[in-house]
Amino acid sequence: MQTVKVVVTGPFNAGKTEFISSISEIDVVSTEQKITDGSRVVKGRTTVAMDFGRITVDNDLVLYLFGTPGQKRFDFMWDILSEGMLGFVVLVDSARPETFREAKMLLDRFRRYSATPFVIAANKQDVQDAWLPEDMRIALRASSDAKVLSCVATDRDSVKGVLLELLYSILESIAEG
Amino acid sequence: MALKGSLKDFNVTQLFNLINLARKTGSLTIEGSGRKAEVCFKEGRLVYASLNGQDDGLIGMLEKAGKISSEQSLVIRARSKTDADKELGLLLINAGYVTQDDIVQSVRSHTLDVVYLLFTWTDGSFRFEPNRLPAEGAITVPINLENIIMEGSRRVKEYEMLQNELPDLNMALKFTERPDAKLHDINLTVEEWRVISFINPRNTIRQISKANSMPDFKMRRIVYGLLSAGLVELVIPEGPKQAPSASEAVSAPPPVKRSLILRLIDRVKRM
């Protein structure tokens, strides 16, 4: 049995748990706890260790999805999670520009962890104040060839689209390599 | 008795304020994390500053300020028989290389560069030795501290912002490929042109900074401006890998076959 993994990262409350829940064939194993700091006003519980989802391809191959902890104080987990990943998704709440700086920092950091392909998912596109993916590309200073994709993490088809784009990028990187 | 302590307890702004208000004369040495600076004051006014590893005497200051070329610098160094900047300055003025004003401006600019950098130091130890002044041959330019303190405080805030926006100087830059970018309409300063001339995915920002003898703060500010204007993009440096720190090592992607990814794609499509 071969297992491969994709990491889903993003700022606090970007929608990582929903993203993995939407596509995972098992209930997401989420290690959450009550928030004890100022973040309480945004969200009552947050992921402490990681979200964990699974997609079984066949008897020989399983894809695991790992969500990184949402709060910076758990950043020691990031390099552990990123080891051996096929690629990663940076999930960003399109309606909360105050989190874009952190998203950019996460993107830079994960790119330094591993030279694997990535996509940026502009989540919560169903929210009225959501920024357009192309505007977010500029705000996040993503390079012109980076994929910045529209996403609604609670919608399975939307999540499938993001995951497929990441897999296509991985495929291209193999072809190039 | 020397005034000494830690920057964590008494920061550079507070130190300068104390020296200014008390009209102190003497030398302030700040060191920590492998770096050391010496700043001298006369009756509460800044007169001299030097930073270990970045000082190259008057010639270096004039070259950095663009008053002499690197070729002239080499010739002057080879012919110069004195280490005293005052004496050297007189020789350069008499030989017509520079004017007195060039020298004053260059020394002033160098002194301010060093001092503004100090405002961004948040840890280290300091020691103020009363009545100790620079060596006899050094050129001193008196500068009032009030404006420096205000500008320094402002720069601390800007520095923190730039650190957040551009945390990693080991990234490289490449010119944007946006079709609407109008590079020919852009007006750049001499320093920005210097940076631009080194932009290449093989050069890290840190390397460009070093090649231009530019302090990190100034480099971050220029790169931030170029990024904000959409002229350049951050990229991972190409070419020979630099020795990465253990915590920042870029691991190679796991070896996977195309067939595996195609199976994953097929599975996700069928979901």
Side-chain angles (χ1 to χ4, degrees):
Chain A
M1 166 78 74
Q2 185 173 4
T3 60
V4 288
K5 74 172 170 184
V6 160
V7 168
V8 181
T9 187
F12 173 70
N13 202 31
K16 299 180 287 292
T17 306
E18 289 90 344
F19 184 94
I20 296 173
S21 299
S22 292
I23 195 92
S24 173
E25 65 195 14
I26 57 166
D27 284 342
V28 169
V29 181
S30 183
T31 323
E32 293 199 322
Q33 74 168 28
K34 283 186 180 175
I35 294 169
T36 53
D37 62 20
S39 311
R40 186 185 288 276
V41 290
V42 184
K43 187 181 170 187
R45 300 180 78 83
T46 192
T47 309
V48 173
M50 58 189 172
D51 291 321
F52 174 69
R54 188 183 75 193
I55 299 171
T56 305
V57 178
D58 50 39
N59 289 338
D60 300 324
L61 181 60
V62 173
L63 170 66
Y64 288 118
L65 298 166
F66 289 91
T68 62
Q71 290 178 298
K72 210 177 169 185
R73 62 193 160 114
F74 300 110
D75 63 359
F76 64 92
M77 289 293 297
W78 297 346
D79 57 338
I80 300 169
L81 289 173
S82 63
E83 198 176 328
M85 63 184 172
L86 282 181
F88 62 97
V89 177
V90 181
L91 202 65
V92 193
D93 183 340
S94 313
R96 290 179 59 219
E98 67 271 24
T99 66
F100 293 174
R101 178 177 291 176
E102 191 186 345
K104 188 165 77 64
M105 185 272 292
L106 282 165
L107 174 60
D108 291 345
R109 189 154 168 184
F110 271 83
R111 286 178 74 190
R112 293 211 70 80
Y113 281 146
S114 175
T116 52
F118 68 93
V119 294
I120 298 167
N123 191 25
K124 306 190 188 180
Q125 285 292 312
D126 53 342
V127 174
Q128 194 181 3
D129 294 334
W131 285 41
L132 293 171
E134 277 314 301
D135 291 341
M136 289 178 67
R137 177 193 300 281
I138 296 165
L140 295 171
R141 296 218 196 91
S143 62
S144 42
D145 54 353
K147 289 180 179 174
V148 185
L149 310 163
S150 175
C151 177
V152 177
T154 49
D155 175 31
R156 188 181 174 92
D157 284 338
S158 176
V159 173
K160 267 175 64 176
V162 171
L163 205 51
L164 280 170
E165 284 298 335
L166 176 63
L167 291 168
Y168 292 141
S169 292
I170 296 167
L171 196 62
E172 281 168 27
S173 73
I174 295 171
E176 286 167 9
Chain B
M1 188 178 165
L3 187 71
K4 56 185 180 180
S6 165
L7 288 182
K8 282 188 175 150
D9 305 320
F10 207 73
N11 64 31
V12 172
T13 307
Q14 291 169 313
L15 274 172
F16 278 25
N17 205 27
L18 170 74
I19 291 164
N20 179 43
L21 292 176
R23 296 280 178 256
K24 283 183 178 293
T25 296
S27 162
L28 175 69
T29 306
I30 302 178
E31 55 189 319
S33 307
R35 53 198 183 177
K36 182 179 177 182
E38 186 183 9
V39 190
C40 298
F41 304 88
K42 194 168 184 184
E43 293 171 358
R45 297 176 86 195
L46 171 67
V47 291
Y48 174 85
S50 74
L51 190 65
N52 261 9
Q54 283 191 16
D55 285 345
D56 211 4
L58 180 62
I59 303 298
M61 293 180 212
L62 289 168
E63 191 185 338
K64 197 171 98 180
K67 304 294 183 190
I68 57 172
S69 67
S70 52
E71 290 78 16
Q72 286 175 317
S73 159
L74 285 172
V75 171
I76 297 165
R77 275 182 218 279
R79 291 183 184 171
S80 169
K81 289 176 184 153
T82 177
D83 289 331
D85 280 351
K86 270 184 191 167
E87 197 179 332
L88 186 59
L90 279 173
L91 289 172
L92 292 175
I93 293 168
N94 289 337
Y97 277 108
V98 290
T99 64
Q100 185 178 354
D101 192 47
D102 286 337
I103 291 177
V104 171
Q105 291 302 323
S106 303
V107 174
R108 184 185 162 87
S109 169
H110 168 80
T111 306
L112 289 174
D113 277 351
V114 171
V115 166
Y116 287 138
L117 179 69
L118 293 182
F119 279 89
T120 64
W121 292 13
T122 51
D123 56 23
S125 60
F126 66 82
R127 188 177 69 254
F128 183 83
E129 292 184 34
N131 302 318
R132 185 168 156 233
L133 285 169
E136 186 63 30
I139 297 173
T140 57
V141 177
I143 310 169
N144 284 335
L145 273 181
E146 288 89 348
N147 284 334
I148 292 177
I149 293 169
M150 285 180 66
E151 174 66 10
S153 303
R154 192 185 64 74
R155 285 190 186 206
V156 168
K157 291 193 184 82
E158 190 183 357
Y159 180 78
E160 286 166 356
M161 185 276 288
L162 289 172
Q163 283 275 67
N164 284 332
E165 291 286 343
L166 199 61
D168 189 357
L169 295 186
N170 291 319
M171 293 291 278
L173 296 166
K174 69 165 191 159
F175 289 107
T176 183
E177 287 163 14
R178 282 193 301 118
D180 56 333
K182 294 174 183 167
L183 291 173
H184 54 278
D185 289 339
I186 305 288
N187 291 315
L188 298 171
T189 63
V190 173
E191 285 181 324
E192 285 165 343
W193 274 117
R194 282 183 186 161
V195 172
I196 287 272
S197 66
F198 282 92
I199 287 181
N200 182 314
R202 298 179 74 89
N203 297 335
T204 66
I205 299 171
R206 197 178 298 285
Q207 287 169 329
I208 299 175
S209 173
K210 202 170 175 184
N212 283 297
S213 305
M214 199 175 275
D216 283 357
F217 174 79
K218 199 174 269 183
M219 187 68 192
R220 280 180 203 274
R221 191 189 244 175
I222 289 175
V223 173
Y224 178 66
L226 297 174
L227 284 167
S228 300
L231 298 179
V232 296
E233 295 172 355
L234 286 170
V235 290
I236 290 175
E238 289 175 2
K241 291 264 185 295
Q242 299 167 29
S245 66
S247 61
E248 289 194 326
V250 179
S251 61
V256 285
K257 291 181 177 165
R258 278 180 63 84
S259 58
L260 182 145
I261 303 299
L262 289 169
R263 281 159 71 196
L264 287 170
I265 289 172
D266 183 53
R267 174 70 181 96
V268 173
K269 275 185 177 171
R270 284 188 284 109
M271 290 183 84

